[in-house]
């Protein structure tokens, strides 16, 4: 949201960046933001050349996701679409871990929705277990999982605030992505 971003820029100008961002030191000596991307962009916009950062190295993909989810969970009213992909990826990591590698992430990527996963997967690591561990309701977690698998054009419209996340969720009730897009075109055409 442009208004909240420029509100953050104004805050950075007034007070600086109070909470450090998290970055990972890469093998080539460069840094990649793990969390705090909006603070980095706001600091750049405010003219900062450097800001406080916690530096991590040799992180697993699971550790990166945990950090991103923890960071986003502390924000007030963060749009769920900003963390939905991380939640889905984290679930797949936890399922692979709980199954002792029987269900690797690469194999899980073929499933479009949580309900499409084999029953055995859902029994080994039910979504309720993840919801409890990260203090989300199952309903919100399922909404995030479903959002991840929306038509990419619909997600772009949500990101650009041309459509609400809630409306996108309603479109998500239509199982076929092409049908989602066709229905949206009919709605927009009036």
């Amino acid at each position: 949201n442009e208004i909240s971003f420029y509100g953050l820029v104004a805050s950075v100008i007034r007070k600086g960046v109070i909470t450090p961002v998290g970055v990972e030191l890469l093998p080539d000596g460069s840094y990649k933001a793990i969390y705090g991307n909006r603070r980095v962009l706001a600091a750049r916009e405010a003219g900062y050349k450097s800001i406080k950062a916690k530096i991590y190295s040799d992180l697993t993909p699971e550790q990166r996701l945990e950090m991103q989810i923890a960071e986003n969970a502390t924000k007030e009213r963060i749009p769920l679409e900003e963390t939905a992909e991380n939640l889905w990826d984290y679930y797949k990591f936890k399922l692979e871990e709980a199954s002792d590698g029987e269900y690797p992430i690469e194999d899980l990527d073929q499933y479009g929705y949580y309900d499409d996963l084999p029953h055995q997967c859902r029994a080994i690591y039910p979504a309720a277990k993840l919801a409890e561990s990260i203090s989300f309701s199952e309903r919100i977690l399922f909404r995030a999982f479903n959002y991840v698998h929306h038509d990419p054009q619909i997600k772009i419209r949500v990101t650009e605030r041309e459509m609400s996340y809630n409306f996108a969720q309603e479109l998500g009730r239509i199982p076929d992505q092409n049908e989602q897009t066709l229905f949206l075109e009919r709605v927009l055409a009036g």
Side-chain angles (χ1 to χ4, degrees):
N1 177 323
E2 194 171 315
I3 294 170
S4 69
F5 174 72
Y6 285 104
L8 180 59
V9 172
S11 174
V12 168
I13 290 169
R14 283 192 318 273
K15 301 184 242 175
V17 177
I18 297 168
T19 306
V21 299
V23 298
E24 183 173 12
L25 177 61
L26 300 176
D28 67 1
S30 64
Y31 297 93
K32 180 178 180 181
I34 302 169
Y35 58 84
N37 293 322
R38 282 176 32 98
R39 280 173 275 169
V40 170
L41 294 173
R44 281 188 190 146
E45 185 73 21
Y48 280 70
K49 301 289 183 222
S50 64
I51 58 174
K52 294 181 228 174
K54 292 182 181 179
I55 301 172
Y56 302 91
S57 59
D58 301 320
L59 295 174
T60 65
E62 181 179 12
Q63 289 170 319
R64 270 185 228 97
L65 285 170
E66 286 174 351
M67 288 178 181
Q68 291 166 346
I69 290 168
E71 170 80 4
N72 288 340
T74 63
K75 295 179 182 176
E76 290 184 38
R77 295 187 306 247
I78 183 167
L80 193 53
E81 65 268 18
E82 290 183 23
T83 195
E85 301 279 346
N86 289 343
L87 289 169
W88 179 244
D89 287 344
Y90 189 56
Y91 174 79
K92 292 184 295 184
F93 275 114
K94 296 303 276 182
L95 177 55
E96 180 181 48
E97 180 181 81
S99 71
D100 293 322
E102 183 179 346
Y103 294 102
I105 292 166
E106 301 79 35
D107 292 353
L108 297 172
D109 284 338
Q110 69 180 310
Y111 298 101
Y113 294 91
Y114 175 81
D115 289 339
D116 294 341
L117 292 169
H119 176 73
Q120 189 174 0
C121 288
R122 291 179 280 140
I124 290 170
Y125 195 78
K129 191 170 184 175
L130 176 64
E132 181 181 326
S133 75
I134 61 173
S135 302
F136 275 51
S137 73
E138 282 183 70
R139 182 180 150 282
I140 292 193
L141 189 65
F142 281 122
R143 289 184 71 178
F145 286 177
N146 287 337
Y147 178 79
V148 168
H149 298 95
H150 278 12
D151 180 277
Q153 292 303 312
I154 291 172
K155 293 195 301 191
I156 288 169
R157 287 176 182 265
V158 171
T159 302
E160 294 177 354
R161 303 292 186 233
E162 294 174 9
M163 169 191 312
S164 75
Y165 178 77
N166 288 334
F167 184 71
Q169 286 299 320
E170 291 303 315
L171 283 175
R173 292 175 150 193
I174 302 169
D176 181 78
Q177 285 186 349
N178 290 330
E179 288 298 319
Q180 290 174 9
T181 305
L182 290 172
F183 180 78
L184 177 60
E185 288 171 4
R186 288 192 304 271
V187 167
L188 293 175

